Amino acid sequence: MDNPNRQAVDSGIMNNTKDEKKNKLPIPPLLEDKNPEEGKAEFDLNVQYGKKEFIEGQETETLGYNGDYLGPIIRVDKGDDVKINVANTLDEPTTVHWHGLEVPGEMDGGPHQVVDPKSSWQPYFTIDQPAATLWYHPHLLHKTGEQVYKGLAGLFYIEDEKSKELNIPKEHGVNDIPLVVQDKRFTQDGQIPYELGMRDVMDGFKGDTVLVNGAIAPELDVKSEVVRLRLLNGSNARAYDFNFSDNLAFYQIASDGGFLENSIEMHEVSLAPAERAEILVDFSDYNIGDKVVLRDGSYEVMTITITEESDSSSSIPEELVDIVQYDRDDVVTTRDFVMSGMGPMVAINGKQMDMDRIDEYLNLNELEEWVVTNESAGMGMMSGETPHPLHVHGVQFQVIERNGGEPPLNEQGWKDTVMVESGEEVRLLVKFKQKGLFMYHCHILEHEDAGMMGQFLVE
Ligand code: C2O
Ligand code: CU
Ligand code: CU
């Protein structure tokens, strides 16, 4: 047996496919809003230890928000005044970062907003950005990779007039499906220790088993209608090329920061760590009992079964929203971000993260052009190329150029994370509407934890 880990996982799948034990896709619940007042929302989020049976008969030690693994979905409306009561019940510090949310630096939940063991933190902010599928996760210095890997991640939905009025599926868990996709490496006794080998330090920690919402190869039942899938790559380091068996076409309607201007017909969507895509898949021509497999390349991630006739006639809207494009002529400052190095040496502009150093100073509401390059190339024996997905806190930006050309259509909406492959140059237009200290970093969490992160102050 060359891979004992794999065997443990395979037997788990077999047990789960027994009819009476159908391995249903778990749907993270919507977190209860404790404030009944219109325009206000309040949520409780407990960071806790958990135990979860990913593989039948094996209890895995995990971390979770309000549960054993992952977290509930926080859903708010644009304009809401939001308060969140974060309680850290762990024996170790953590932070809760709102990835993609435009809030003041001190509410951002980055490495400066440490929530000590047995302590709490009450961030509050007003939602001032369009409907989007965002997420939250820890951001403790040097510990982000481990805490996310153990299970700390959840989705954060913003809804607005537009998302409510568009003719798209909106029934949570029925035809509006959250999909948090992650990869794991299980030991023989079903544990998920976060121990980095040489390879993991170089390329980031990648697993051999893909989970969706915490389940291995789950099954989702749908009606023969249009279904909306909200994909989050919640993995530490793995990038995905999502496609369907039968080469089924689908339509991307949203990127990281909200709806695209038009739905885009695609056969495959690539997501770097932290990127999101909302896609619509039309199952209306399928028969009851038909199955479609969501795949990463040729790896089977999840099976979708059409189990019911739909009474609604659904269609794919072509036009979605208007996005006001920034004008390059308004750029005040241009900055370079050079990502380089390998393994423990990964750096941005030749520097590694220093909590006491501010790397860039920016002005509020001023348009900037960021030129992001990846100079990490393969060295000698080491296997080649290191991709770096750059993420910027506190903002949604526009990608205006990729390697001197127009970016692909699905990068022409709001983004907060952008994949930069080895040797590539990507240009962004960025404007900050919130003050404070924010991070920019590679979202391969092992790179981030190794120091591939910098800080900027917006004033
Ligand atoms: Cu998703 Cu700095 O984080
Ligand atoms: Cu972030
Ligand atoms: Cu990186």
Side-chain angles (χ1 to χ4, degrees):
M1 184 113 0
D2 52 6
N3 186 347
N5 299 345
R6 180 60 102 175
Q7 188 238 337
V9 169
D10 286 346
S11 63
I13 294 172
M14 265 162 42
N15 291 338
N16 281 329
T17 48
K18 277 187 206 152
D19 235 54
E20 69 277 14
K21 282 219 163 183
K22 203 171 168 196
N23 181 24
K24 274 207 149 202
L25 174 76
I27 301 291
L30 295 168
L31 185 55
E32 188 203 331
D33 173 3
K34 290 169 56 193
N35 193 332
E37 265 177 86
E38 178 74 23
K40 296 205 190 313
E42 183 173 347
F43 302 97
D44 290 341
L45 211 54
N46 294 330
V47 191
Q48 57 196 66
Y49 293 108
K51 282 195 190 343
K52 171 143 177 97
E53 217 176 292
F54 295 106
I55 299 166
E56 202 181 284
Q58 293 188 321
E59 240 179 27
T60 309
E61 298 200 8
T62 54
L63 297 176
Y65 294 109
N66 298 3
D68 288 318
Y69 186 77
L70 296 178
I73 297 169
I74 297 176
R75 188 173 66 181
V76 298
D77 283 328
K78 184 177 177 187
D80 277 357
D81 291 321
V82 180
K83 187 173 159 212
I84 303 181
N85 309 302
V86 175
N88 179 11
T89 72
L90 306 180
D91 300 325
E92 57 184 295
T94 189
T95 85
V96 186
H97 166 57
W98 321 106
H99 180 123
L101 211 55
E102 298 179 339
V103 295
E106 65 272 24
M107 302 299 164
D108 181 58
H112 291 283
Q113 285 89 43
V114 175
V115 192
D116 283 323
K118 319 289 179 214
S119 310
S120 59
W121 179 54
Q122 275 92 27
Y124 53 90
F125 38 74
T126 303
I127 304 296
D128 188 19
Q129 66 192 92
T133 300
L134 314 176
W135 64 305
Y136 58 95
H137 63 77
H139 219 297
L140 195 67
L141 190 70
H142 304 311
K143 284 281 183 185
T144 299
E146 175 163 11
Q147 292 190 344
V148 171
Y149 185 71
K150 290 287 172 88
L152 292 178
L155 288 165
F156 194 115
Y157 293 175
I158 299 175
E159 303 291 348
D160 64 7
E161 297 286 297
K162 208 62 209 185
S163 69
K164 289 175 184 174
E165 116 202 348
L166 276 172
N167 181 24
I168 52 173
K170 294 166 192 135
E171 243 184 293
H172 177 63
V174 177
N175 55 21
D176 179 355
I177 313 287
L179 299 177
V180 180
V181 185
Q182 301 170 308
D183 55 337
K184 295 278 172 273
R185 211 185 283 167
F186 290 98
T187 61
Q188 210 151 9
D189 59 346
Q191 298 306 308
I192 50 169
Y194 184 73
E195 284 154 15
L196 302 184
M198 183 57 180
R199 185 74 198 249
D200 308 321
V201 174
M202 302 302 289
D203 299 341
F205 193 97
K206 293 178 185 167
D208 50 18
T209 306
V210 175
L211 277 61
V212 189
N213 300 343
I216 301 167
E219 310 219 1
L220 169 68
D221 292 347
V222 299
K223 294 182 189 170
S224 58
E225 62 183 2
V226 173
V227 173
R228 174 185 189 181
L229 303 177
R230 304 195 195 216
L231 287 160
L232 160 67
N233 179 351
S235 286
N236 281 33
R238 179 166 169 156
Y240 295 89
D241 297 314
F242 290 112
N243 64 77
F244 293 96
S245 51
D246 310 337
N247 198 29
L248 178 64
F250 57 88
Y251 299 83
Q252 186 171 348
I253 57 167
S255 55
D256 301 336
F259 291 109
L260 298 161
E261 295 207 273
N262 299 294
S263 52
I264 304 166
E265 186 180 346
M266 317 175 70
H267 291 87
E268 181 163 85
V269 61
S270 300
L271 291 185
E275 282 188 307
R276 285 87 66 207
E278 290 186 37
I279 64 172
L280 298 182
V281 193
D282 189 354
F283 295 111
S284 58
D285 286 338
Y286 282 80
N287 298 315
I288 306 306
D290 284 351
K291 288 179 191 295
V292 173
V293 179
L294 172 68
R295 311 186 305 179
D296 164 36
S298 59
Y299 182 108
E300 303 196 342
V301 171
M302 178 176 97
T303 304
I304 300 172
T305 309
I306 294 85
T307 55
E308 226 181 291
E309 210 72 64
S310 170
D311 36 15
S312 70
S313 72
S314 42
S315 61
I316 311 269
E318 224 174 282
E319 288 174 21
L320 300 166
V321 298
D322 291 321
I323 295 177
V324 178
Q325 303 293 337
Y326 290 139
D327 185 346
R328 211 171 178 174
D329 291 339
D330 296 338
V331 168
V332 178
T333 310
T334 300
R335 285 172 214 269
D336 291 315
F337 294 87
V338 180
M339 302 192 281
S340 67
M342 300 187 75
M345 305 301 291
V346 284
I348 303 178
N349 291 338
K351 295 176 287 183
Q352 292 198 309
M353 176 68 181
D354 180 344
M355 292 282 277
D356 298 324
R357 183 192 67 225
I358 295 172
D359 298 280
E360 310 285 334
Y361 292 85
L362 280 69
N363 291 326
L364 195 67
N365 290 321
E366 224 171 70
L367 190 67
E368 302 210 344
E369 181 166 335
W370 287 17
V371 185
V372 186
T373 49
N374 178 348
E375 293 183 356
S376 292
M379 284 180 350
M381 305 282 295
M382 300 310 299
S383 65
E385 329 236 286
T386 313
H388 296 299
L390 184 82
H391 167 53
V392 187
H393 284 212
V395 76
Q396 293 291 334
F397 53 74
Q398 294 179 352
V399 182
I400 49 160
E401 233 180 75
R402 183 174 274 285
N403 303 319
E406 223 182 73
L409 284 174
N410 68 338
E411 282 188 334
Q412 296 186 22
W414 295 111
K415 296 281 297 164
D416 57 48
T417 306
V418 65
M419 181 54 128
V420 191
E421 299 280 354
S422 180
E424 286 195 313
E425 181 198 86
V426 174
R427 288 173 179 259
L428 320 172
L429 292 183
V430 194
K431 190 197 270 185
F432 291 88
K433 300 170 196 104
Q434 299 287 345
K435 289 186 187 175
L437 189 59
F438 297 96
M439 307 293 132
Y440 55 91
H441 60 90
C442 175
H443 220 289
I444 289 181
L445 299 181
E446 290 67 35
H447 290 175
E448 176 194 326
D449 284 341
M452 199 170 192
M453 177 156 69
Q455 316 189 68
F456 59 92
L457 184 67
V458 182
E459 278 173 322

